Amino acid sequence: MNDILNYSLKSLNTFKIDVNADRFISFDNLYEFLIFAKENKNIFKQKFIVTGEGSNLLFTKDYNGTVIHPETKVFGVLNETDTHYIVQSEAGLKWDDFVENTLKLEAYGLENLSLIPGTVGASVVQNIGAYGVEVGDFVDKVKYICLEDFVIKTITGNDCQFSYRNSIFKNELKNKAIVVAVDFKLNKIPECNTNYADIKRCISDNVDITPMFIRKAVIDIRNKKLPDPDIIGNAGSFFKNPVIDKTKFDELLLKFPDLRYYDLHNGKYKIAAGWLIDVCGFKGFEHKGAAVHEKQALVLINKTGKAEGKDIKELADIILKKLKDKFGLSLEPEVIIL
Ligand code: EPU
């Protein structure tokens, strides 16, 4: 366990913003941390945040609180039936290492979520999603430290209230729980999801569609479109795709017949924010050291590596204003701005 004062977070956020936290605590043994947490309850009465790889955070200033960083990485099969595996991973395991492990085990379902930055713990808080799949679809149970009585509790996937980039951990259990492990119910018999247009494009007539094929296709698509955070600081999609009702949708479609959207079949429509930003001409647009990614306008980057969090926030605000003026839409950041 580490407990360090005035700690640089530069390597702990994928935007590579150089800010300090007042206190930084990391742990690779859950029970050692649990004992520590019980003895230091005051930490959780003040400002704190739990971080994985910091792949969804934008620090605009020093963090004057405690950063808790789980580094527990144990992975294994808890149970199996004829059709399923229950696979458990501790929170600190890198998400993509976990996905690779599951596929090596021949436990299927997470292949569409390949190469998403972050950790297993963060995956359920954020309900990560890509290429037609959301992690919540496969979560059997989540184990968390309850910060009211410092007992490890279990919640079922059904009770996690998963929705688009959202879960109970961002709402009712916000600041009340630290996710320590997740159980996933994965298929023994592959059910490849190839509905997403980008994946369909990778499929030729003679190809054998296996989960490993999907993983490779997703890795290829992501590498082509999205900047590698190890090379260019970024946090994936900066904004959520806005969800609008039919009246607003009809109005937009009339004005912008090329609009990219997904019909959610509940009277609501999800609009592709990347397209909205793109048609405003923002691709490649620079502000101070920050910029809009040239291949995916939904991704903001720390282009020079020297941008400060507030520069990226200013760029986001310039985009938000333009989208409000042109489309009458108010987008929400997907990234947590601190
Ligand atoms: N588009 C443009 N120009 C752009 C970007 C997108 O015209 O600059 C169009 C695309 O051609 C496509 C549509 O917008 O028709 C949607 O784009 P894309 O398929 O790239 O997906 P997205 O909606 O922009 C979402 C997730 C991504 C996820 C992809 C793939 C959100 C906020 N983002 O992006 O997740 O990888 O779908 O499923 O839901 C993330 O959350 O960080 C993330 C990268």
Side-chain angles (χ1 to χ4, degrees):
M1 229 186 91
N2 288 303
D3 182 1
I4 304 168
L5 297 180
N6 209 21
Y7 189 82
S8 169
L9 299 175
K10 189 165 182 184
S11 63
L12 283 158
N13 72 95
T14 58
F15 266 123
K16 304 284 193 311
I17 305 292
D18 197 2
V19 289
N20 280 359
D22 283 358
R23 187 171 182 179
F24 171 78
I25 296 168
S26 66
F27 60 95
D28 57 12
N29 180 305
L30 173 57
Y31 292 94
E32 192 186 354
F33 175 69
L34 187 59
I35 293 164
F36 171 88
K38 278 183 186 167
E39 286 169 355
N40 293 273
K41 289 182 182 155
N42 60 322
I43 290 175
F44 306 98
K45 293 194 182 108
Q46 293 153 15
K47 192 168 156 184
F48 75 95
I49 185 173
V50 184
T51 65
E53 291 198 309
S55 56
N56 206 40
L57 297 178
L58 176 62
F59 289 103
T60 57
K61 50 183 180 291
D62 282 338
Y63 187 75
N64 50 24
T66 303
V67 170
I68 315 267
H69 183 60
E71 288 183 335
T72 46
K73 296 186 175 139
V74 175
F75 159 90
V77 175
L78 284 190
N79 207 345
E80 71 175 285
T81 64
D82 287 349
T83 52
H84 291 94
Y85 284 109
I86 302 291
V87 177
Q88 185 177 80
S89 169
E90 286 190 301
L93 186 59
K94 204 174 158 197
W95 172 258
D96 193 56
D97 290 347
F98 172 66
V99 173
E100 194 179 18
N101 286 345
T102 61
L103 292 179
K104 282 185 184 156
L105 256 177
E106 302 186 351
Y108 305 124
L110 302 177
E111 51 277 1
N112 294 45
L113 303 180
S114 291
L115 211 63
I116 295 184
T119 56
V120 169
S123 75
V124 288
V125 176
Q126 167 75 353
N127 189 19
I128 57 171
Y131 310 105
V133 173
E134 284 186 349
V135 81
D137 303 338
F138 293 92
V139 172
D140 186 49
K141 290 188 183 102
V142 179
K143 271 168 73 180
Y144 63 94
I145 300 176
C146 170
L147 296 175
E148 274 159 6
D149 52 14
F150 292 87
V151 166
I152 294 180
K153 296 190 177 164
T154 300
I155 180 171
T156 65
N158 285 339
D159 287 336
C160 285
Q161 298 168 13
F162 289 120
S163 62
Y164 175 53
R165 299 293 191 273
N166 207 350
S167 75
I168 194 167
F169 303 104
K170 282 181 142 188
N171 297 287
E172 251 170 273
L173 290 181
K174 188 173 177 190
N175 293 335
K176 292 188 183 141
I178 297 178
V179 172
V180 293
V182 185
D183 299 355
F184 296 85
K185 187 174 179 184
L186 300 175
N187 301 320
K188 287 190 170 175
I189 299 146
E191 289 170 24
C192 293
N193 182 329
T194 58
N195 293 333
Y196 206 86
D198 280 348
I199 293 189
K200 273 196 187 122
R201 264 179 238 125
C202 299
I203 299 171
S204 53
D205 284 349
N206 50 0
V207 76
D208 188 16
I209 304 167
T210 62
M212 244 340 162
F213 170 84
I214 303 275
R215 173 169 168 80
K216 288 201 182 106
V218 167
I219 289 176
D220 199 38
I221 296 163
R222 294 188 74 94
N223 281 337
K224 280 192 184 130
K225 269 199 180 173
L226 300 169
D228 178 349
D230 285 340
I231 300 167
I232 301 175
N234 77 91
S237 302
F238 194 90
F239 303 101
K240 288 189 206 173
N241 287 325
V243 174
I244 58 174
D245 62 23
K246 184 151 171 49
T247 315
K248 179 71 191 170
F249 172 72
D250 288 343
E251 179 199 311
L252 275 180
L253 196 60
L254 202 63
K255 271 201 198 156
F256 305 98
D258 289 347
L259 190 71
R260 303 278 166 85
Y261 63 91
Y262 322 90
D263 185 346
L264 299 179
H265 300 290
N266 58 0
K268 306 240 184 223
Y269 296 81
K270 194 190 265 183
I271 310 298
W275 182 86
L276 298 172
I277 300 169
D278 191 355
V279 293
C280 290
F282 275 120
K283 264 188 184 161
F285 177 83
E286 292 182 28
H287 175 76
K288 300 184 179 167
V292 177
H293 187 50
E294 278 170 357
K295 294 182 194 147
Q296 217 312 359
L298 196 48
V299 177
L300 305 189
I301 59 174
N302 181 351
K303 185 164 183 185
T304 58
K306 291 189 178 129
E308 293 183 25
K310 62 180 170 47
D311 303 331
I312 297 169
K313 167 83 168 57
E314 280 171 19
L315 172 60
D317 288 341
I318 293 169
I319 294 169
L320 285 176
K321 183 170 183 317
K322 181 77 189 174
L323 297 186
K324 182 79 188 159
D325 292 348
K326 191 173 169 97
F327 304 105
L329 291 172
S330 304
L331 269 63
E332 277 178 42
E334 179 187 311
V335 167
I336 296 166
I337 300 172
L338 293 163

